[in-house]
Amino acid sequence: MPKEQLELLKKESQALENNFREILFLIEQINVLKALLRDTQDGLHHHSGAQDATAVSDEKTTLFYFVQEMSNLVNYVLKKLREDRVQMADYALKSAGASIIEAGTSESYKNDKAKLHWHGIGFLNYEMPPDMILQPDVHPGKCWAFPGSQGHALIKLAGKIVPSAVTMEHISEKVSPSGNISSAPKDFSVYGILKQCGGEEVFLGQFSYNKTGTTVQTFELQHEVSDSLLCVKLKILSNWGHPKYTCLYRFRVHGTPGEHT
């Protein structure tokens, strides 16, 4: 196996291991909280005679919904653990050497609320850059936004590969602060770029991200290429209804290492 692929697999394996540990810790903490809530609920049953019936009923209702929310969170964490098992090297991973070519990428969405102001003058911008989509840190708000429902990103991969599949990831509605993910990408296409990163675009496939499906969705390319590629272009064709912008969390590219660069 080529050295470049071994390095990528090593980094991906480490990232998965770290995520696994974090999720196990979360589950442990949630179970402790659930046990405490059950004990508190049992205590209410024993002391209900000394309290106003309405007050006890309200407390029980509050505890019931709280336990339900905790249960939903546990289920979400377990679902997330099962989902993110792509088990393929990501050649669009920034830490492995991939990068965004700004000249071939859409402008970022300009949002005044993302700026820190002093005496009415914006001087610090907290907007996320396009290379956010090349990083595994997928948390609410940590996405690259571009105006409208159509945009594109030109990605220089960590090394030359013959691409075979891509993966799109977005947060779920359960963890979205707004309660919906209308800014998620819907239809998108992928192109390979010949002659390093400035040549002809070769169509590799068009796909649809299902916002009601799993958060991590992998798509096999519809058209094969015989030449190894160093760059791919991601084109977003539509989103799930947001009128102002589209937000991308993570995009991965999978394949077989080609000739050395």
Side-chain angles (χ1 to χ4, degrees):
M1 184 180 289
K3 183 179 178 181
E4 290 85 352
Q5 188 174 23
L6 282 172
E7 288 297 319
L8 281 167
L9 287 173
K10 183 179 178 181
K11 289 176 180 177
E12 286 284 284
S13 177
Q14 185 63 50
L16 284 172
E17 184 178 345
N18 291 339
N19 288 340
F20 181 74
R21 288 175 179 171
E22 290 179 8
I23 289 172
L24 286 181
F25 176 76
L26 255 180
I27 293 173
E28 182 181 347
Q29 296 302 307
I30 290 171
N31 285 334
V32 169
L33 284 173
K34 288 180 71 177
L36 288 173
L37 285 168
R38 281 195 297 270
D39 291 343
T40 304
Q41 209 167 18
D42 291 339
L44 283 176
H45 285 298
H46 293 124
H47 297 89
S48 59
Q51 299 181 39
D52 178 76
T54 303
V56 171
S57 177
D58 289 343
E59 289 183 17
K60 287 182 178 179
T61 301
T62 301
L63 281 170
F64 172 78
Y65 284 116
F66 195 82
V67 170
Q68 285 294 105
E69 285 300 313
M70 296 301 291
S71 179
N72 290 338
L73 183 56
V74 171
N75 292 332
Y76 169 75
V77 170
L78 290 172
K79 181 182 176 184
K80 183 69 176 175
L81 177 61
R82 289 192 295 268
E83 286 173 354
D84 201 3
R85 289 182 176 176
V86 177
Q87 295 298 309
M88 289 187 285
D90 176 16
Y91 291 91
L93 187 65
K94 181 180 178 181
S95 61
S99 60
I100 293 289
I101 299 178
E102 298 278 353
T105 300
S106 296
E107 292 279 338
S108 297
Y109 176 69
K110 304 301 180 185
N111 182 6
D112 287 337
K113 292 182 179 179
K115 291 182 178 179
L116 189 61
H117 290 77
W118 181 72
H119 287 271
I121 301 173
F123 67 93
L124 198 56
N125 197 332
Y126 286 99
E127 291 168 1
M128 300 296 170
D131 64 7
M132 284 301 301
I133 69 174
L134 310 182
Q135 302 179 57
D137 186 10
V138 179
H139 291 91
K142 285 210 166 185
C143 61
W144 170 56
F146 60 81
S149 59
Q150 296 185 344
H152 53 272
L154 181 57
I155 303 166
K156 183 178 181 182
L157 303 174
K160 280 191 172 184
I161 65 167
V162 176
S164 59
V166 295
T167 296
M168 184 73 77
E169 181 174 3
H170 201 85
I171 60 171
S172 75
E173 289 185 338
K174 288 184 179 180
V175 299
S176 173
S178 64
N180 70 74
I181 52 172
S182 61
S183 63
K186 185 179 181 183
D187 299 313
F188 66 96
S189 57
V190 181
Y191 292 79
I193 311 297
L194 300 178
K195 296 180 181 179
Q196 298 299 326
C197 297
E200 177 187 355
E201 294 184 1
V202 178
F203 179 70
L204 301 178
Q206 182 171 323
F207 316 96
S208 291
Y209 181 85
N210 181 4
K211 72 170 185 174
T212 61
T214 58
T215 58
V216 181
Q217 299 175 25
T218 298
F219 308 87
E220 292 187 5
L221 297 181
Q222 298 159 350
H223 296 274
E224 297 180 355
V225 291
S226 55
D227 296 330
S228 56
L229 304 172
L230 184 60
C231 284
V232 297
K233 178 173 278 190
L234 167 65
K235 294 185 178 181
I236 305 300
L237 307 176
S238 64
N239 66 21
W240 281 94
H242 200 290
K244 293 184 178 180
Y245 60 82
T246 301
C247 216
L248 302 185
Y249 275 86
R250 188 180 180 189
F251 180 71
R252 315 182 206 183
V253 180
H254 317 291
T256 305
E259 59 185 86
H260 296 294
T261 55

